Amino acid sequence: MSQENVEIVRRWWASLEAGELPFDLTDENVRIDNIEQPVVQGAFHGHDGLRRWWHDFTESLADIHHEVLDATALDAERVLAEIRSQGHFRDTGLPIDLRWASIFSLRNGKVVHAAGYLSAREALKAVGLEE
């Protein structure tokens, strides 16, 4: 199941990169928690929350692209994804090139929780695992 979850997380990001929300890979009660100083603030719940999160994110950033640099199963239900996001702030045109991490929790082949962190080290520490 661990490797399957890694592939689900990769497909989840590939859907976003293609401009499609991955509802088929996302539990209807999903919770998304952003990094502490994010482009978009707050927590988002359910499919409507996923839709709002992505809308707010793409409203703030132009031509944004996400690349999964690495995805590692932490256990049977959690995956650490290291992401690089590049683009420009829509209002100012300033570039953004951010490397960050997210812990995905999965159940029955769907993402039930995703929490963003400024680094993989911070993500691992938050879930009680040291790098």
Side-chain angles (χ1 to χ4, degrees):
M1 191 62 167
S2 306
Q3 191 55 38
E4 289 175 30
N5 286 343
V6 168
E7 292 309 313
I8 290 167
V9 168
R10 288 186 179 280
R11 287 185 10 234
W12 196 88
W13 277 106
S15 291
L16 289 177
E17 184 63 20
E20 299 172 11
L21 294 174
F23 292 123
D24 60 325
L25 302 173
T26 307
D27 186 84
E28 64 183 25
N29 295 309
V30 68
R31 178 181 167 127
I32 298 172
D33 294 310
N34 286 300
I35 59 177
E36 288 184 15
Q37 297 178 353
V39 173
V40 177
Q41 295 184 2
F44 299 82
H45 303 274
H47 282 184
D48 285 340
L50 175 63
R51 190 177 290 110
R52 281 192 315 280
W53 170 77
W54 188 244
H55 176 267
D56 290 355
F57 201 79
T58 57
E59 281 291 307
S60 299
L61 300 168
D63 67 341
I64 190 73
H65 298 285
H66 306 284
E67 176 186 1
V68 177
L69 300 173
D70 194 19
T72 307
L74 299 177
D75 54 33
E77 296 179 348
R78 295 181 298 179
V79 173
L80 169 67
E82 296 179 67
I83 312 295
R84 182 177 186 188
S85 299
Q86 295 177 288
H88 294 86
F89 286 97
R90 193 172 299 281
D91 290 342
T92 63
L94 292 172
I96 184 171
D97 187 351
L98 179 65
R99 290 175 189 245
W100 58 286
S102 186
I103 300 285
F104 283 81
S105 298
L106 296 96
R107 190 175 6 189
N108 299 323
K110 294 193 177 205
V111 173
V112 296
H113 184 238
Y117 302 91
L118 293 174
S119 68
R121 182 180 183 151
E122 184 180 306
L124 291 170
K125 185 175 179 182
V127 297
L129 301 172
E130 296 298 322
E131 200 170 34

